[in-house]
Amino acid sequence: MDLLKRLFGGSTSSASSGSKLDTFTIQYPNGKTPVAVRVKLTTPGAQIVESLNLAHPVPTIFISGGAGNMDVNAMSLTRTTIEDGLARFLHEQGISLIDGGTSTGVMSLIGLARQRRNYTFPLIGVAPEAVVFYPGHEPKKRLADLDAFHSHFILTEGDDFGAESDTIVHTALALSGNGAQKLLGFIINGGEIVRNEVHRVTRYHPEIPLLVLEGSGRFADELAAAKKAGTSDDVKITEILRDGNLHFIPMKSGADMLRRWLENFHGI
């Protein structure tokens, strides 16, 4: 059975899925001009990838977590790991990254690292258009701003964060060629939305490897603690630990260790 259909159902095949969608360019005052596309929640990942003219199949990482509720301490500790570990690895290996696309938490750290280091890896943000601001678009319900240092944006339907979750994963699957190239999910911090995202992935496609950054706070640390304890009172965490292809790395190990882990891991 097709991997994407198994995970999400419906018409999410990695083959060409209809005509290309209309894209547009966001013009930022700082001169950045990311390309964006508006999609329905049912738009196939392959159609999104083709519409944005993204190279595929390519090794791909998607991030689950790390939005606006990261505290200052977690942000500070995470910054070096993200900039010198993850972002450097993405650039050196030419790997595409998909995240939530906003100028908050770890997503802003990745965008800033890409800008500061002049990195060129595709950085694709996915968010519900109804709740995010960008130049030329002022939503009635402004929950966050898109990050100007992303290269592409996928703007989904939905009136709250979490609506974009499936689009992130099935776009990542399409980018990786439905198994032709390697794919990794990276759990950093996160709250209830991330709990639901990770539970959904481990339930419907447990083969996808998920790396948990222990010490990044909140849900990532809940998972790490439950793994060490061997038990959890949280039903979803219990099922994630039972069914998921989980790997853990302490944030205190540092950027070099994260980069080496990513380089050596057979899944990416």
Side-chain angles (χ1 to χ4, degrees), residues 62 183-186 201 205-211 244-247 261 265-268:
F62 66 92
L183 176 63
L184 175 71
F186 198 1
V201 172
H205 199 71
E207 306 95 279
I208 294 178
L210 300 172
L211 176 61
N245 181 4
L246 298 179
H247 305 264
W261 190 98
F265 180 54
H266 66 85
I268 190 71

Side-chain angles (χ1 to χ4, degrees), residues 17-23 37 47 49-53:
S17 302
S19 60
K20 286 188 176 183
L21 303 167
D22 291 334
T23 61
V37 63
Q47 188 176 16
V49 168
E50 291 167 4
S51 298
L52 289 173
N53 293 319

Side-chain angles (χ1 to χ4, degrees), residues 114-125:
R114 186 177 183 274
Q115 168 67 11
R116 282 163 43 90
R117 301 291 183 88
N118 294 313
Y119 289 159
T120 57
F121 62 88
L123 180 54
I124 305 145

Side-chain angles (χ1 to χ4, degrees), residues 15-68:
S16 180
S17 302
S19 60
K20 286 188 176 183
L21 303 167
D22 291 334
T23 61
F24 63 99
T25 300
I26 299 174
Q27 302 283 344
Y28 279 95
N30 63 5
K32 298 299 180 182
T33 55
V35 177
V37 63
R38 296 183 177 95
V39 304
K40 297 182 180 298
L41 298 182
T42 55
T43 301
Q47 188 176 16
I48 296 170
V49 168
E50 291 167 4
S51 298
L52 289 173
N53 293 319
L54 293 166
H56 64 285
V58 293
T60 303
I61 294 176
F62 66 92
I63 287 183
S64 189

Side-chain angles (χ1 to χ4, degrees), residues 13 21 25 69 74 83 98 104 109 129 151 186 216-217 234 256:
S13 170
L21 303 167
T25 300
N69 288 326
E83 186 162 329
I98 302 177
T104 54
L109 294 180
E129 186 173 26
S151 60
F186 198 1
S216 60
D234 186 297
D256 289 342

Side-chain angles (χ1 to χ4, degrees), residues 22-194:
D22 291 334
T23 61
F24 63 99
T25 300
I26 299 174
Q27 302 283 344
Y28 279 95
N30 63 5
K32 298 299 180 182
T33 55
V35 177
V37 63
R38 296 183 177 95
V39 304
K40 297 182 180 298
L41 298 182
T42 55
T43 301
Q47 188 176 16
I48 296 170
V49 168
E50 291 167 4
S51 298
L52 289 173
N53 293 319
L54 293 166
H56 64 285
V58 293
T60 303
I61 294 176
F62 66 92
I63 287 183
S64 189
N69 288 326
M70 287 187 78
D71 60 39
V72 174
N73 185 55
M75 284 282 286
S76 177
L77 292 172
T78 305
R79 178 172 180 171
T80 299
T81 303
I82 292 299
E83 186 162 329
D84 295 324
L86 177 61
R88 178 178 166 184
F89 172 77
L90 295 169
H91 176 71
E92 291 176 346
Q93 302 296 323
I95 292 174
S96 296
L97 181 76
I98 302 177
D99 65 14
T102 62
S103 58
T104 54
V106 70
M107 295 171 287
S108 66
L109 294 180
I110 295 170
L112 185 59
R114 186 177 183 274
Q115 168 67 11
R116 282 163 43 90
R117 301 291 183 88
N118 294 313
Y119 289 159
T120 57
F121 62 88
L123 180 54
I124 305 145
V126 187
E129 186 173 26
V131 298
V132 293
F133 168 85
Y134 58 85
H137 176 70
E138 181 70 61
K140 293 181 180 178
K141 182 182 179 183
R142 182 175 179 174
L143 298 183
D145 295 358
L146 293 184
D147 177 64
F149 300 132
H150 279 59
S151 60
H152 301 78
F153 288 108
I154 301 167
L155 302 173
T156 73
E157 298 175 315
D159 57 5
D160 211 342
F161 287 118
E164 77 285 1
S165 295
D166 284 359
T167 300
I168 288 176
V169 181
H170 69 64
T171 301
L173 285 161
L175 261 183
S176 68
N178 195 18
Q181 293 288 334
K182 295 165 184 176
L183 176 63
L184 175 71
F186 198 1
I187 303 169
I188 306 174
N189 194 270
E192 190 62 26
I193 291 173
V194 175

